[in-house]
Amino acid sequence: MNSYILGLSAYYHDSAAALLHNGRIVAAAQEERFTRKKHDPAFPAHAIRYCLEAAGISLQAVSQVVFYDKPLLKFERLLETYLHYAPRGFRSFVTAMPVWLKDKLFLKQTLQTELAALSGLKAKALPPLLFTEHHQAHAASAFYPSPFAKTAVLCLDGVGEWATTSVWQGDGNRLTPLWQMDFPHSLGLLYSAFTYYAGFKVNSGEYKLMGLAPYGEPRYVELILDKLVDLRADGTFRLNMAHFGYATGLTMTNRRFAELFGAPPRQPESRLTQREMDIARSIQAVTEAIVLRLARTVQRETGNDHLCLAGGVALNCVANGRLLREGPFRDIWIQPAAGDAGGALGAALAIWHEYHNQPRQVEPEDSMQGAYLGPAFPPDTIRQWLDGQHLPYTALDDKALMEQVAAILADGKVVGWFQGRMEFGPRALGARSILGDARNPAMQSVMNLKIKYRESFRPFAPAVKYDKVGEWFQHGRNSPYMLMVAEVLEKRRIAAHGETPALTGLDRLKVPRSHIPAVTHVDYSARLQTVHPTTNPRFYQLLDAFEQLTGCPVLVNTSFNVRGEPIVCTPQDAYRCFMRTDMDYLVLENCLLSKQAQPEWQDSGDWRNAFTPD
């Protein structure tokens, strides 16, 4: 059999394409990386072209194209919701209906038109177009690439067609739906409502709320559970919709929600107060409680020792870490592109295994190839571009490069690191990363304010050699996708001298807490990435060289971009970001560039206006 299946997600946020060849993942990428528009919802034309080029085929060679959503079911949900709440929600109805009646209701025709324009094929020559349900795509993205032959699957997000929470049994090559919770009762939308109320952007600022939570106290947990969430012992719940606006209006929360918490939503970019920190901590605590209860119910009902997770809520790495430590499962695995982008991959996998009934090959780690599924750029091509632009660089072999970059990092410098295939999903995992010395107490503020141009409280993740993780963190498993939070070992902590009870909020940032202060959060936690020589040998070699020099196998790893910008894709993107920030060095494969040696950078106007703050 010689089958190519192209999976697509589009038209909501994080459009993406993924390509399978006989069930094996060939390529996957988000559209935003090519268009440079963060969370780009447009038809993923650039991502499709990349996937086809990676396989060396044209669209004509594709057996099926599959979309990650069933638009008619979603339209049914919208109509029923508007009818249920009528006459409330009329403004929202008037806003939404023209878009649906013009475009989304005829999504099959829209997709065929876009594919024809992309390929030059006539409509009759296009591959057959199939559709999966939204949560089916999420569940497939979690189960089929996982290292488990048999497992429970839990999907948690805002909403698909109707489902907001769904439970599945994965066994062999089959996924069986067990039960689901429906809109409007949604953990993802609940968390997004608090994201909006705290002044952050919905569908992109949820991780900020999670990062802000450790600075607060859980003062509002009882209020949330008393007034907003009817949480049951099994983890299922109902929301008091009188306080939310997303079912009927154009905002996530309404006047009653604001009255409940004693103030209107925080204005974006205004000063953060202790109140927002306490609200963040409270909704994070409620989220963790719900996830834990749901997981215990799923384990009790299915009897499985393993759990797979997908959906946007599965990117809450704090809840994931607690689920691994306190939950009933022996091990859990999370799809690294857990949000809508991963739906493109899941849709393709669902067609291969369920529609075609093809067997499943279980890989010992997983079959995501470290999530390095995007474009790579050969060293010769990079050197030709640098030479053509008359940009000074030093070409080094791997051994010399690792030793020199390790010394640069140990000297307190910040390095842009660009090598291999780009990551699929929201995390930079050592292919498109900005690196720093985790031992440097000034590194977090330097990276946030001078390089990322973002809020000072935002934590950074440690990248650590997989075989040394247990020497630095309370974590005995792999965490290759930066989706687990673990605590720094007691022996690596330092007494928080100078921290008094009067020191609250963001002032607590100033107190070092461990031998790796740049990646240690105020609660001694860290969002772990374990680095493996099988999936990213060059990043592992760099960590090893840094350990040989310093005795520390840990580096700060953050995504190669500035605030509001998608992670860089090409060498040109990387160089532009390098020159616009206070990064000291840039590595493009085996080329090392020093900022001081570069020609003066010219930008027309303030480049920061090019990106909308996320």
Side-chain angles (χ1 to χ4, degrees), residues 309-324:
L309 294 170
V313 178
L315 295 172
N316 192 310
C317 52
V318 179
N320 295 342
R322 192 170 167 202
L323 176 57
L324 184 61

Side-chain angles (χ1 to χ4, degrees), residues 305-588:
D305 291 328
H306 300 106
L307 177 70
C308 293
L309 294 170
V313 178
L315 295 172
N316 192 310
C317 52
V318 179
N320 295 342
R322 192 170 167 202
L323 176 57
L324 184 61
R325 292 190 304 273
E326 302 176 33
F329 292 96
R330 186 187 304 165
D331 204 358
I332 66 177
W333 189 86
I334 305 148
Q335 165 55 237
D340 275 13
L345 175 61
L349 288 165
I351 295 303
W352 174 252
H353 290 294
E354 298 180 54
Y355 185 81
H356 291 295
N357 195 30
Q358 291 296 317
R360 174 172 169 251
Q361 184 71 40
V362 181
E363 302 290 339
E365 295 299 328
D366 61 50
S367 59
M368 285 296 294
Q369 302 163 48
Y372 305 111
L373 298 169
F377 297 84
D380 288 350
T381 303
I382 292 172
R383 284 196 296 271
Q384 286 172 13
W385 176 73
L386 291 171
D387 291 338
Q389 299 294 313
H390 307 292
L391 300 175
Y393 65 92
T394 304
L396 300 163
D397 63 32
D398 269 12
K399 185 175 187 298
L401 178 72
M402 302 309 166
E403 290 174 355
Q404 196 159 333
V405 174
I408 287 168
L409 290 164
D411 193 37
K413 301 296 191 290
V414 178
V415 176
W417 179 257
F418 181 104
Q419 54 98 33
R421 296 184 73 180
M422 182 180 68
E423 302 90 340
F424 180 53
R427 308 286 187 237
L429 301 170
R432 305 288 186 273
S433 291
I434 300 173
L435 306 177
D437 186 350
R439 304 168 306 154
N440 188 332
M443 190 55 64
Q444 181 185 17
S445 61
V446 167
M447 279 190 161
N448 268 329
L449 301 177
K450 291 191 174 184
I451 294 163
K452 301 286 280 188
Y453 300 113
R454 67 185 198 180
E455 301 92 343
S456 62
F457 71 86
R458 301 269 293 277
F460 287 110
V464 57
K465 290 168 60 177
Y466 84 100
D467 47 334
K468 296 297 177 75
V469 65
E471 297 178 17
W472 289 81
F473 302 96
Q474 292 178 9
H475 191 83
R477 294 175 174 85
N478 294 336
S479 178
Y481 302 120
M482 214 183 279
L483 287 169
M484 293 284 179
V485 160
E487 290 191 349
V488 175
L489 283 181
E490 290 277 356
K491 69 178 182 179
R492 302 294 182 183
R493 299 180 187 182
I494 56 176
H497 297 301
E499 182 159 35
T500 67
L503 207 58
T504 60
L506 300 186
D507 289 336
R508 297 169 65 196
L509 263 173
K510 301 168 186 173
V511 182
R513 283 176 164 71
S514 78
H515 299 142
I516 43 174
V519 295
T520 305
H521 218 353
V522 292
D523 57 359
Y524 295 102
S525 69
R527 189 180 70 195
L528 275 180
Q529 180 203 356
T530 55
V531 180
H532 303 254
T534 50
T535 52
N536 198 334
R538 299 184 78 234
F539 193 28
Y540 183 89
Q541 289 165 26
L542 177 62
L543 285 163
D544 190 58
F546 188 75
E547 183 184 23
Q548 298 301 319
L549 185 64
T550 66
C552 177
V554 184
L555 287 172
V556 180
N557 177 15
T558 189
S559 56
F560 201 149
N561 60 340
V562 294
R563 184 183 178 193
E565 180 190 20
I567 294 172
V568 300
C569 177
T570 67
Q572 292 84 354
D573 296 335
Y575 186 80
R576 189 184 310 117
C577 186
F578 169 60
M579 293 304 294
R580 285 171 166 177
T581 66
D582 287 346
M583 264 182 272
D584 301 294
Y585 288 85
L586 171 63
V587 175
L588 296 173

Side-chain angles (χ1 to χ4, degrees), residues 94-161:
V94 167
T95 302
M97 281 307 105
V99 178
W100 272 92
L101 294 175
K102 182 184 175 186
D103 296 321
K104 294 188 177 181
L105 204 54
F106 304 99
L107 190 60
K108 183 174 183 179
Q109 183 179 329
T110 301
L111 289 169
Q112 288 173 331
T113 301
E114 293 279 13
L115 289 165
L118 175 78
S119 63
L121 296 174
K122 301 285 187 185
K124 290 181 180 179
L126 290 172
L129 182 59
L130 305 174
F131 294 81
T132 65
E133 289 193 20
H134 188 92
H135 270 236
Q136 179 189 12
H138 274 321
S141 78
F143 171 55
Y144 290 119
S146 79
F148 309 138
K150 183 178 181 182
T151 180
V153 182
L154 177 60
C155 300
L156 298 157
D157 67 358
V159 60
E161 293 86 3

Side-chain angles (χ1 to χ4, degrees), residues 249-271:
L250 302 176
T251 59
M252 294 300 297
T253 63
N254 60 21
R255 177 181 50 81
R256 288 181 179 176
F257 191 102
E259 288 172 354
L260 188 65
F261 290 95
R266 169 181 165 261
Q267 286 298 309
E269 307 306 312
S270 64
R271 189 176 71 88

